Amino acid sequence: MLISESEIPKLLLGSLNPQTRKQAEKSLLEYSRQPTFVLRLLRLVLDAIQNIAIRLAASVYLKNTVKLGWLEDDEYPISASDKEALKPQLVPAMIALSAQNEKPIRAQIAECVSLIAELDFPHRWPDLIDQLVQSLSTTDFNVNIGVLETAHSIFRSWRSQARSDAFWSIIKLVHSKFLVPYFSLFELTISRLLPSPDRLLAQTMLVLVELFYDLTCQDLAPEFEDGNEIFFAPDTGYFMRLMEWNPPQLQTDPDEPTPSISSTIRTAILEIAELYVKLYPEMLARSQSVGAFVKKVWELVGGGKQLGIAYDQLVSQSLRFISTAIRSGAYRDIFESHDTIQGLIAGIVVSNLALRTRDIEAFEDTPLEYIRGELQVSDVSTPRQAAADVVKALVGVGRESEIATTTIASEWISRALAEASQGGEDGWKSKDAAVYLFEAVATRSGTLTQGVTATNPNVDIVGAGGVNPVLQVDAIRYLYTFRNQLTKEQLVSVLPLLSSRLESHDVVVYTYAAVALDRVLSMRVGESTSLIFSSADVQPFALQLLDVLLAKIDLQASPERVAENDFLMRCVTRVIITAKQGLGEGYVNVLQRLVAILRIISKNPSNPNFDQYLFESISALLRRFVGAVVPDSIAIFEPALFPPFTEILQGDIDQYIPYVFQILAQMLTLHRGVPADYRALLPFLLTPAIWAQKGSIPGLVSLLRAFLMRDAAAMIEANQHTSVLGIVQQRLVPSKTNDGWGFELLQSIMLYVPLNVLQPYFRPIIVTLLTRMQQNKTNSYVYYFAYFLLYMPAINANGLTPDYLVQTVDEIQPGLWSQIVSNFVVPQIAQLAVKDRKVAAVGLTRLLTQSTLSLKEPNVKLWLVLLDQLAGLFKEPKAFAAAEDAGGTGVTDIDLEEQAVGYQAAYSKLAAAAAPLPDLVAYVGDVRSYVAGEFTRLLSSEPNVRTLVEQGDPQNQLRLFLSSLGVSG
């Protein structure tokens, strides 16, 4: 049914209202499948008469439609005609959206351009750069901002892009068309801006500076080398002049978080200076710029200044530039003298380490944001972190610098502690700064996951009794930071103290304690996957920990507040993972409290990370630990989980549905058959609508595989196996995004559905796979396909013999099997993952020893080739042992963060819900013995094979391989 274009604004407005959002989004999705939808959206975006909120919603919806539908194999692809009609309108749209209140809308359209350019530029959008360049103006800087922001939206992805020949060709193309007008506009803008400050010109200059970084982040074009002095000369260079430029009329309130435009420009210039220190130090040496930049930094932040919050980004970047320059080792003449180190610590570091009034206010008013700022290791660090990093850089650059820095910092620490010991209202601030500086000077290197990995040998970490546990948060952070330097015995001794801090009434204190506890419990033994702390270590207090953590979460009044503190729920997950069966009968109470929290937050999901850890906790409690020890506990879990899961499915709470499917699959695998409650759900799982949500597909596949494993006969009787096949052939295999899940489901079909039932569908399945291979293959698809062809003969399913597979493929086209094996299977064998090698070895062995068709023309020509590939798999004999043992790895052996636990927009995998990898060829014990036995039997029964090997193996390699296995006959 067609929806009138006039309805779109109403639907967009409805999508902003929680009460009407679901229905409005459903109607918009239906309308989005109609021709010219994206063009009508763009017209709505540009319609100045419309409400600005509707226009912004339209721009966001346009961006999301492009993001989810630009590729042909997307769920709802945009038609080719609409795409070609949309592209030439986007740059003019950016230019038209020049009003100040249209800036958020312009940002969404710029993102559209960036998304499309990433896929279509330059081959399917060759005139994009020409469009941009031709739109630049010498008079209208509103137009210029639109053009430059569009260019920046395209080029900024270069900052993180991996190098390749194709990428280099794009860079060269852009440089050839864009650099000359770019330099001209830069010169024009700065010539007008410096003598007469103007906000529009300043905004233009900011984007020009950001583009400078984009255009130089991979390599320097000759134009940048030739113009180095123009930009970097110490006195006259554009960048130095802009570093001094700070007109009063463009400044903002220093105590408000919004930086001035001049401050933002200087921050961007220092980012470029840091980039050049890393990549192009010879260019800075040529212009003698580093000393000039250091002087500017000192003028900005030196002399003990503590600038307002509006300067936080500038201060942080200034100090990052200093740290990078120190670490480069190229400027020892500047940074290694005692006086310089003294000046840096006394004039820059100390003032920025001290807690400011706004830090204390954040501690009290927004505690979770305070903690996130303290823990973050991103480029956007706080001035406090950046100051500490300067000290770490001085410690790590060389022995002499390390000793001098330690001495100077220790003197300051002693003075600060002496001040603190005198008491006074602010004495605790001096102690806090001393602890922070001590942590910095003691640290050589470290990561968020592992803590400090190397320390300053001139500092006594464990014996620093005068510095560490005095202020509660500083003491906890000290333990968090230096946990790797403590023995297990030392950590065990402080765990009760750390646990007691969870009962604090201060949010920062108990949250920091939860973070530290999570990290301590996740520590490993050396480089192994074994955790330091076992179930026995935490059993005495695990239930008490969970009780306190869950009580802190329960205290909150609204769904949003309950889900606010994901650090607490992550710690709950970690305690459950570590405690395992040590929770004993107490798991029932824990489960009930987790379910109660789920029912509260499902009323208004607001924190994806909290959601992830909540479901991870339920999943971990269910299978890996309690469920594995108390098999009958499934009777506790299902009555507790079915009601909230039903509410989630009926309420279409799409954020939680992927988790529900994973846990349902997990529970179903604990049964021997399929209970009636699950069977009643199966028709719903086979409806097309439920497969439209991409994030649900992996969980749905897991659940259908569990149904097939537990009771394929009932599915066959109800003719539901044909629906499953339809899902595989029509929805999963044709999709680049979901083809891997399609092969997983197809493997279960082959394993559990008898061949006599599959026979009418077997050839169409192969045709579907080949069609996708012919029309739209990818590297990953070729891998899945090749593995699947080895999987089928390996699994020894009733009737699915190697000859049946070969014959079916050749019936599609004579000689097709040998072509497929030669072109696709053989090249993939050497690239097989360890977990796939046992199946591949068994599949190859059965094809070579149990297929009469493999010994006939034209397939016999590949017989020796496949034998050689089989021999190649045995060159790494440990690979088979690793594959056989892989199923034993559980969540207890992995760190959650390294397994990407945490919310992901498309699909949030529950690490605990992942079933151990099954041994698909369990009938084969030792692979070597199995292969030896099969070839011994073949050579005894088929003398021609021995002749084939002797004639085709002049260097005796294959015979040596067979002999090494003990093959006789």
Side-chain angles (χ1 to χ4, degrees):
M1 175 182 175
L2 290 175
I3 301 175
S4 168
E5 185 171 350
S6 62
E7 291 293 308
I8 299 180
K10 298 176 186 176
L11 294 173
L12 289 168
L13 204 56
S15 70
L16 304 177
N17 185 331
Q19 275 71 44
T20 57
R21 180 176 64 87
K22 285 284 184 185
Q23 186 56 48
E25 288 180 348
K26 183 178 180 181
S27 299
L28 281 169
L29 179 62
E30 181 181 347
Y31 190 72
S32 70
R33 303 174 197 174
Q34 298 177 10
T36 72
F37 174 70
V38 290
L39 304 176
R40 297 179 187 186
L41 267 183
L42 184 59
R43 283 201 297 271
L44 181 57
V45 168
L46 297 173
D47 186 354
I49 300 175
Q50 287 287 349
N51 182 304
I52 194 72
I54 292 174
R55 295 173 65 198
L56 178 58
S59 68
V60 172
Y61 205 89
L62 175 60
K63 178 197 70 177
N64 290 335
T65 302
V66 166
K67 186 175 183 178
L68 299 174
W70 201 259
L71 295 175
E72 292 179 2
D73 65 332
D74 283 332
E75 194 72 33
Y76 303 113
I78 301 169
S79 70
S81 59
D82 281 0
K83 289 193 288 187
E84 292 307 309
L86 178 66
K87 284 188 288 190
Q89 297 183 42
L90 289 174
V91 173
M94 283 285 296
I95 296 169
L97 296 166
S98 58
Q100 183 63 29
N101 68 335
E102 293 175 326
K103 188 174 181 179
I105 301 174
R106 190 168 70 226
Q108 298 298 323
I109 303 303
E111 187 65 20
C112 278
V113 175
S114 176
L115 289 167
I116 297 170
E118 185 179 353
L119 298 171
D120 283 13
F121 177 74
H123 302 298
R124 291 186 295 276
W125 202 356
D127 62 341
L128 173 58
I129 304 302
D130 296 322
Q131 255 191 302
L132 294 174
V133 169
Q134 291 164 10
S135 301
L136 291 172
S137 170
T138 58
T139 57
D140 192 340
F141 278 81
N142 280 313
V143 168
N144 289 339
I145 282 186
V147 172
L148 295 174
E149 286 183 348
T150 304
H152 179 49
S153 72
I154 300 168
F155 305 152
R156 69 185 170 200
S157 64
W158 294 3
R159 301 186 181 199
S160 58
Q161 197 158 338
R163 299 186 176 191
S164 67
D165 291 342
F167 182 35
W168 281 118
S169 66
I170 292 174
I171 292 176
K172 290 178 180 178
L173 174 65
V174 170
H175 284 173
S176 67
K177 295 186 175 186
F178 192 76
L179 288 188
V180 171
Y182 169 78
F183 287 130
S184 297
L185 184 59
F186 203 113
E187 181 180 6
L188 174 66
T189 305
I190 200 168
S191 68
R192 295 185 181 182
L193 175 66
L194 295 182
S196 178
D198 174 83
R199 182 167 297 277
L200 182 59
L201 289 172
Q203 290 171 340
T204 306
M205 179 53 66
L206 174 59
V207 188
L208 284 166
V209 173
E210 290 174 331
L211 277 166
F212 191 101
Y213 192 112
D214 299 339
L215 295 165
T216 57
C217 64
Q218 292 284 344
D219 197 11
L220 282 186
E223 292 87 344
F224 284 107
E225 294 187 23
D226 296 342
N228 187 68
E229 288 291 322
I230 297 173
F231 287 93
F232 286 96
D235 298 317
T236 59
Y238 291 161
F239 289 154
M240 291 305 167
R241 294 166 67 188
L242 288 168
M243 287 295 294
E244 296 174 352
W245 180 76
N246 189 24
Q249 57 267 49
L250 295 181
Q251 292 180 16
T252 57
D253 185 343
D255 293 323
E256 293 296 324
T258 304
S260 67
I261 188 82
S262 58
S263 178
T264 307
I265 289 172
R266 287 182 288 176
T267 302
I269 290 171
L270 286 168
E271 288 177 352
I272 294 169
E274 183 184 6
L275 175 74
Y276 266 60
V277 167
K278 292 177 179 177
L279 300 184
Y280 318 116
E282 71 284 356
M283 302 304 298
L284 294 178
R286 183 195 302 176
S287 57
Q288 299 182 336
S289 304
V290 171
F293 275 116
V294 171
K295 181 181 177 182
K296 296 300 178 189
V297 168
W298 182 263
E299 292 171 358
L300 284 169
V301 301
K305 296 188 188 80
Q306 194 176 69
L307 300 178
I309 191 172
Y311 294 94
D312 274 8
Q313 292 180 19
L314 177 57
V315 172
S316 298
Q317 182 54 49
S318 297
L319 299 184
R320 275 201 301 275
F321 165 74
I322 295 291
S323 299
T324 301
I326 292 170
R327 286 193 173 97
S328 73
Y331 309 104
R332 294 179 183 272
D333 56 322
I334 299 177
F335 296 111
E336 281 203 343
S337 73
H338 187 279
D339 289 344
T340 300
I341 296 173
Q342 176 77 44
L344 284 172
I345 292 177
I348 291 180
V349 171
V350 169
S351 58
N352 284 290
L353 282 180
L355 280 174
R356 302 167 295 183
T357 301
R358 56 187 166 274
D359 296 324
I360 299 169
E361 290 172 350
F363 189 103
E364 296 170 348
D365 300 336
T366 55
L368 294 180
E369 291 307 310
Y370 175 86
I371 291 170
R372 289 190 176 96
E374 285 278 290
L375 295 177
Q376 70 181 358
V377 289
S378 65
D379 287 340
V380 188
S381 58
T382 64
R384 202 179 197 208
Q385 290 172 318
D389 196 49
V390 170
V391 177
K392 295 174 186 176
L394 288 169
V395 168
V397 75
R399 178 65 176 164
E400 292 182 8
S401 176
E402 180 179 71
I403 293 173
T405 303
T406 305
T407 302
I408 295 167
S410 297
E411 292 171 356
W412 190 90
I413 290 169
S414 297
R415 287 198 300 272
L417 291 174
E419 291 175 11
S421 67
Q422 295 174 8
E425 186 178 346
D426 292 336
W428 66 272
K429 293 183 183 178
S430 297
K431 188 166 289 185
D432 171 83
V435 173
Y436 211 96
L437 179 56
F438 181 87
E439 292 174 2
V441 79
T443 302
R444 272 187 176 175
S445 62
T447 66
L448 177 64
T449 303
Q450 299 178 1
V452 172
T453 55
T455 58
N456 180 348
N458 303 293
V459 176
D460 182 4
I461 304 298
V462 178
V467 177
N468 71 338
V470 179
L471 304 174
Q472 292 187 42
V473 170
D474 288 335
I476 295 168
R477 190 181 64 241
Y478 190 88
L479 172 64
Y480 167 85
T481 302
F482 295 112
R483 60 190 182 273
N484 279 322
Q485 280 62 53
L486 303 178
T487 65
K488 180 177 179 179
E489 290 71 23
Q490 290 168 330
L491 290 168
V492 168
S493 70
V494 298
L495 276 181
L497 295 172
L498 183 60
S499 302
S500 69
R501 294 302 90 204
L502 291 172
E503 300 189 37
S504 169
H505 296 295
D506 189 291
V507 178
V508 176
V509 173
Y510 69 66
T511 302
Y512 232 123
V515 171
L517 184 62
D518 168 43
R519 290 300 179 186
V520 168
L521 293 181
S522 67
M523 291 172 63
R524 301 181 186 184
V525 178
E527 298 297 319
S528 72
T529 59
S530 300
L531 297 176
I532 290 177
F533 289 92
S534 66
S535 174
D537 293 321
V538 299
Q539 183 179 8
F541 51 86
L543 284 173
Q544 180 185 356
L545 283 177
L546 292 172
D547 180 65
V548 174
L549 289 164
L550 293 171
K552 293 295 184 186
I553 297 171
D554 290 337
L555 279 174
Q556 308 307 319
S558 66
E560 297 83 1
R561 292 299 302 277
V562 168
E564 183 179 35
N565 197 331
D566 48 88
F567 296 110
L568 295 179
M569 187 51 73
R570 180 186 171 104
C571 189
V572 168
T573 306
R574 177 63 63 190
V575 173
I576 292 173
I577 285 174
T578 308
K580 298 188 286 189
Q581 65 269 30
L583 293 178
E585 293 301 319
Y587 81 90
V588 178
N589 178 260
V590 175
L591 173 64
Q592 291 170 347
R593 296 178 72 175
L594 291 172
V595 169
I597 292 170
L598 174 59
R599 302 193 89 147
I600 292 171
I601 66 171
S602 63
K603 295 174 183 176
N604 187 19
S606 58
N607 185 348
N609 285 323
F610 184 95
D611 301 339
Q612 176 80 33
Y613 295 124
L614 172 60
F615 282 99
E616 195 72 64
S617 297
I618 294 171
S619 178
L621 199 63
L622 170 65
R623 186 202 299 268
R624 293 294 195 199
F625 312 110
V626 178
V629 178
V630 187
D632 294 338
S633 64
I634 191 67
I636 303 292
F637 280 90
E638 288 176 338
L641 293 174
F642 277 170
F645 283 6
T646 302
E647 292 168 9
I648 289 167
L649 293 174
Q650 291 179 345
D652 194 24
I653 305 175
D654 50 10
Q655 300 96 322
Y656 293 174
I657 289 174
Y659 299 122
V660 168
F661 288 148
Q662 291 176 77
I663 294 178
L664 285 173
Q666 188 181 355
M667 290 194 295
L668 180 53
T669 57
L670 295 175
H671 288 280
R672 293 188 176 180
V674 177
D677 288 340
Y678 291 89
R679 197 175 302 285
L681 181 65
L682 188 52
F684 167 71
L685 302 179
L686 298 176
T687 57
I690 197 64
W691 291 83
Q693 185 183 350
K694 290 185 178 180
S696 297
I697 286 176
L700 282 167
V701 168
S702 297
L703 193 46
L704 288 183
R705 293 182 75 188
F707 273 103
L708 287 164
M709 177 173 64
R710 290 295 176 240
D711 198 357
M715 294 180 69
I716 294 167
E717 185 178 349
N719 203 34
Q720 290 168 324
H721 66 292
T722 58
S723 299
V724 178
L725 284 169
I727 290 167
V728 170
Q729 293 177 265
Q730 297 168 25
R731 184 170 291 274
L732 300 181
V733 167
S735 166
K736 289 182 181 179
T737 305
N738 297 314
D739 48 16
W741 302 112
F743 275 104
E744 284 199 14
L745 188 51
L746 193 54
Q747 288 169 21
S748 291
I749 293 170
M750 295 296 161
L751 188 61
Y752 298 116
V753 179
L755 184 64
N756 65 313
V757 175
L758 273 181
Q759 197 162 5
Y761 312 102
F762 194 82
R763 177 171 171 172
I765 290 170
I766 301 297
V767 170
T768 297
L769 301 180
L770 291 172
T771 300
R772 166 68 198 278
M773 177 70 76
Q774 183 180 25
Q775 295 178 350
N776 201 11
K777 71 174 182 287
T778 61
N779 291 337
S780 59
Y781 183 83
V782 174
Y783 183 96
Y784 297 140
F785 179 69
Y787 175 76
F788 183 66
L789 291 181
L790 296 174
Y791 165 90
M792 284 191 285
I795 58 176
N796 199 27
N798 184 32
L800 185 53
T801 64
D803 273 347
Y804 183 82
L805 172 62
V806 175
Q807 181 179 344
T808 301
V809 173
D810 277 341
E811 284 175 353
I812 297 171
Q813 179 182 312
L816 183 59
W817 172 257
S818 62
Q819 295 178 39
I820 291 172
V821 170
S822 177
N823 295 330
F824 300 115
V825 177
V826 169
Q828 292 296 320
I829 292 174
Q831 302 178 40
L832 288 170
V834 170
K835 65 182 179 64
D836 296 333
R837 289 187 177 182
K838 182 179 179 182
V839 169
V842 174
L844 281 171
T845 301
R846 297 194 74 210
L847 280 168
L848 290 166
T849 63
Q850 298 182 25
S851 169
T852 57
L853 294 177
S854 292
L855 291 170
K856 296 180 180 179
E857 291 290 347
N859 302 320
V860 69
K861 297 173 183 176
L862 286 171
W863 197 91
L864 290 174
V865 175
L866 292 178
L867 179 58
D868 184 58
Q869 292 297 315
L870 179 61
L873 291 176
F874 278 84
K875 290 179 181 178
E876 299 180 58
K878 291 183 180 180
F880 294 117
E884 289 161 2
D885 296 341
T889 300
V891 180
T892 50
D893 302 321
I894 61 176
D895 185 89
L896 288 175
E897 186 158 345
E898 293 180 10
Q899 290 297 313
V901 167
Y903 178 72
Q904 308 125 53
Y907 165 53
S908 292
K909 179 180 179 180
L910 294 175
L917 293 174
D919 187 351
L920 298 169
V921 286
Y923 68 91
V924 174
D926 178 69
V927 180
R928 181 179 293 270
S929 299
Y930 174 78
V931 174
E934 288 300 299
F935 275 96
T936 297
R937 178 190 56 75
L938 177 68
L939 292 174
S940 299
S941 60
E942 296 285 347
N944 293 337
V945 173
R946 183 179 298 279
T947 304
L948 177 64
V949 172
E950 290 172 352
Q951 293 177 351
D953 185 28
Q955 297 183 354
N956 211 32
Q957 295 297 314
L958 297 178
R959 279 170 285 179
L960 286 173
F961 161 64
L962 294 173
S963 177
S964 71
L965 296 178
V967 173
S968 59

